[in-house]
Structures are given as structure tokens and as C-alpha cells.
Amino acid sequence: MLIAGEKRTTIWPDAEGKGVLILDQTRLPHRIETVLLRDLDDAARAIKDMLVRGAPLIGVTAAYGVALAMRADASDAGLAKARETLRQTRPTAVNLAWALEQIGQFLSQMPEELRREAAFTFAKHLAEKDIACNSAIGDNGLAIFRDLARKREGKPLRILTHCNAGWLATVDWGTATAPIYKAQQAGIPLHVFVDETRPRNQGAFLTAFELGQQGVSHDLIVDNAGGHLMQHGEVDVCIVGADRIAANGDACNKIGTYLKALAAKDCGVPFYVAAPVSTFDFALEKGSLIPIEERVQDEVTHMSGEAASGDIVTVRVAPKTTSARNPGFDVTPARLVSGIITEKGVFAANTDALKALG
Ligand code: MRU
């Protein structure tokens, strides 16, 4: 997708072979900066400190992290260490474990001396596959948006999304945003309500930024506004991404997603989850088994942004003595999900329907 009119992806191998380049998402939208990952520790830190984030991108970065690790130590022990180091970075998005399993299986079957080169080729393949999956999710979601847009008789289709399941959360296209970009390309008029997504404001910082760069009409809303807008008939459809989907269709996504799904159900607004098959965890029967990342209190008690001086600053928004809880994700029960849009088609959120993917 575009930044300042230039086509970009979120991660790419450095042309001089020094490592892997990423867009630093802790600096967006105020600064557009790339960071070079040179080794395993750089890759692990980039995921842990959320320079890259979003389930599919975390997975691809982990695969590149293994490739970087192979440059230093391509032995079985080196491979095991790389997988374990990366696995421990963030607990909820299953794409991380999925990507580590894929590249681990692939490399463990070949002689050590071939692993260095092959690991990069494989990571690149996963990155390309991610783009293709998201594009297909876009096409499958477009069919849904087309139907909904017909009822709007030329007026913009009003879409609500939470967090950033955009191209910045993947290698390109995004999951929840892919149908939005495909609809835009198809000339369907649309308008997106972007939840700010406290505490880290991925909606305000990232989704609003990328939609703006793509010229998609949108409004930023506070996290608590969605229910009100739905009650007043101002939202035609909700679409979100996912970090892990259980076998029964319970979908784990950024904290606050569940409340949007409840409001959508109450107001008769369709609620779709868009995710690649790599986001499914068929080993988990139901969503309550998904590990939920608990993040630091500072993210809640403080906020960051660009000051009038142009400096990026962090300010305290809570009393100094106030403690905070900060679960990073919640689980939307399958009964609240109208359908799961994958690269293989749109599926009902229930164990029987999803068996086709497992
Ligand atoms: O904590 P984050 O920013 O990694 O959380 C991201 C989300 O919850 C996304 O909605 C999800 O990963 C889907 S990304 C296509």
C-alpha cells in the first residue's frame, strides 16, 4: 500500500544483505522510519517492543528472525534457540507459533550448510504468501461489501473497525482492511469509523494513518462511540482482524473487540472477522483457552503523541498512585460473529463449518 504516494510493504530484506528492514510502527504516524534488523535479538526485540505488530506481520518477522539467526548459527541447537527466543516474545497471536513451526520444519530437514540461504528464501516465501492471502481475503470480503453497498443505493457503505488489522499489521493489504481497499478500487463509495483503540491507539496512530494515505474516507472515534453510532443506524457493517481463532470460531482480537460485537448483535449490524487460515488454532476447542497477553500498566496510565513542538512525548493521564490492569486482547464468542472471511472463502463461525479449514 502507499505512504506518501510510494508503494511500501512493512518488511523487506535489505538489498545489501545486511539484514531485514521494517517500518518502525512505534513512531507512526509522526515519523516514517525504517529500522534494520541484523540478528535474532533485533528481530525478537522488534516483536516484543511492538516496532512490528499485528498477527500476520509478527509471524513473518519471526520467520525472518530465524533466517537472521541462521547467519550466526545454523546448527540444530541454533535453530532451536531461535525458535524459542522468538516464541517467547508475544503470547496471543498464533501466527507467531505457526510461522516458527513452518520454517522450523523446513530447515530441520536440510543440512546445516544450506540453512542460511534457504531460511531467507523461506521467510520471503511466507511474506509473499501473506500478501496473496490478504488479497484473497479482500476479494472474498468485497463480495460481502458489494451486497451491503447495494442496500445503500449509492450512499457510502459505513464500516466500523477496531485496532489495526490493516496493511501495517501484515506484509501488505491487511486483513480487515483488504476488503475496504478492494471496495475502494471497485468504486464502491465507503466511509470507515476507526476506533482509536486504547491503550496503544493502533486505530488512531495506524489505521487512520493508512486509510488517509490510501485516500479512504474515515472518521476517528473514541472506543466508546461505536455502540452509540450503531444504535443510531450509522454503521452498516463491522469488520475486525484476529490474533487467534479457536476451532469453534471464538475469535480473539484487540481488547475492546468483544464490546463492539455485543453492540453489533444488539443493533442487528453484521460483524465479520477477517483472518488468514494461519490465524486459526484448531488445537484449541474454544476461545477461553487462548492465552491473553497482559501488558504493562504504563500503557494505561500514560499516553504518547506528538506535542505542538513536534517532539514525540509521553504524558501521565492517571493519578500517580493509581494502578492499572492491561489485558491486551479479548475473545468474541462465535455466536456474535456473522462470518469469518479467509483466503479460502467466508465461513460460519462454528466447529462444523470450520472443519473444512482444519
Ligand atoms: O497488539 P497488536 O497491535 O499486535 O494487536 C493487533 C490486533 O489485535 C489486530 O487486530 C490483529 O493482530 C489482526 S492483524 C491483521
Side-chain angles (χ1 to χ4, degrees):
M1 292 285 130
L2 303 175
I3 295 184
E6 196 186 317
K7 185 135 184 39
R8 306 287 296 261
T9 58
T10 51
I11 189 165
W12 64 102
D14 168 58
E16 292 164 27
K18 287 189 199 142
V20 176
L21 289 157
I22 54 164
L23 278 173
D24 182 351
Q25 300 197 22
T26 62
R27 307 282 285 169
L28 289 171
H30 315 299
R31 308 276 190 279
I32 296 159
E33 291 175 359
T34 56
V35 169
L36 178 68
L37 310 180
R38 292 176 184 272
D39 55 25
L40 170 64
D41 288 343
D42 283 354
R45 212 174 305 116
I47 298 172
K48 199 170 175 45
D49 295 347
M50 295 179 69
L51 279 71
V52 290
R53 27 67 50 204
L57 180 57
I58 290 171
V60 171
T61 307
Y64 273 119
V66 170
L68 291 169
M70 292 299 94
R71 302 202 299 190
D73 179 1
S75 67
D76 284 349
L79 180 57
K81 180 185 160 210
R83 286 176 68 173
E84 190 49 24
T85 303
L86 290 158
R87 193 189 59 76
Q88 283 179 10
T89 51
R90 292 193 72 190
T92 300
V94 76
N95 307 60
L96 175 68
W98 175 86
L100 290 172
E101 180 63 22
Q102 296 272 312
I103 195 164
Q105 288 278 343
F106 176 72
L107 294 177
S108 58
Q109 286 164 15
M110 68 175 53
E112 276 180 38
E113 59 277 15
L114 298 182
R115 286 181 185 169
R116 193 186 153 122
E117 190 76 27
F120 269 96
T121 308
F122 195 84
K124 203 157 169 273
H125 157 74
L126 285 190
E128 281 159 5
K129 196 169 156 194
D130 180 66
I131 298 175
C133 282
N134 297 330
S135 175
I137 287 171
D139 293 333
N140 294 331
L142 172 60
I144 294 170
F145 281 9
R146 244 190 234 290
D147 280 351
L148 292 166
R150 223 166 272 135
K151 295 184 197 135
R152 294 284 295 152
E153 297 175 337
K155 289 188 280 212
L157 180 70
R158 298 156 307 174
I159 303 159
L160 185 143
T161 191
H162 190 71
C163 195
N164 174 262
W167 76 267
L168 291 167
T170 64
V171 180
D172 205 356
W173 282 109
T175 57
T177 54
I180 293 172
Y181 296 134
K182 295 273 180 170
Q184 183 196 31
Q185 288 176 1
I188 296 172
L190 42 90
H191 182 79
V192 183
F193 291 113
V194 179
D195 284 352
E196 62 178 346
T197 320
R198 276 281 281 151
R200 287 186 70 99
N201 288 312
Q202 287 94 330
F205 289 168
L206 303 175
T207 306
F209 171 73
E210 62 163 272
L211 292 176
Q213 295 292 317
Q214 258 52 234
V216 175
S217 164
H218 63 281
D219 281 316
L220 181 65
I221 56 173
V222 296
D223 288 324
N224 296 325
H228 170 81
L229 293 178
M230 288 188 237
Q231 268 181 335
H232 287 78
E234 293 194 48
V235 178
D236 301 305
V237 58
C238 296
I239 186 163
V240 298
D243 290 84
R244 197 185 293 224
I245 303 174
N248 69 345
D250 289 349
C252 178
N253 191 48
K254 182 52 59 193
I255 192 78
T257 304
Y258 168 48
L259 288 177
K260 294 304 134 64
L262 278 174
K265 185 75 169 180
D266 191 47
C267 299
V269 173
F271 186 95
Y272 286 96
V273 173
V277 175
S278 52
T279 300
F280 285 80
D281 187 346
F282 291 103
L284 298 188
E285 180 202 336
K286 53 186 179 181
S288 57
L289 300 170
I290 296 172
I292 302 293
E293 179 176 15
E294 187 84 27
R295 297 187 56 83
V296 294
Q297 296 189 29
D298 281 12
E299 290 183 350
V300 182
T301 55
H302 293 68
M303 277 181 81
S304 300
E306 192 179 48
S309 63
D311 294 337
I312 298 177
V313 294
T314 299
V315 294
R316 175 184 281 280
V317 292
K320 284 193 177 121
T321 50
T322 297
S323 60
R325 279 289 310 279
N326 189 12
F329 300 90
D330 61 25
V331 174
T332 298
R335 66 187 155 78
L336 303 179
V337 176
S338 309
I340 305 179
I341 306 168
T342 76
E343 69 273 30
K344 299 206 165 146
V346 181
F347 293 82
N350 65 60
T351 309
D352 280 349
L354 294 171
K355 264 191 194 127
L357 295 172

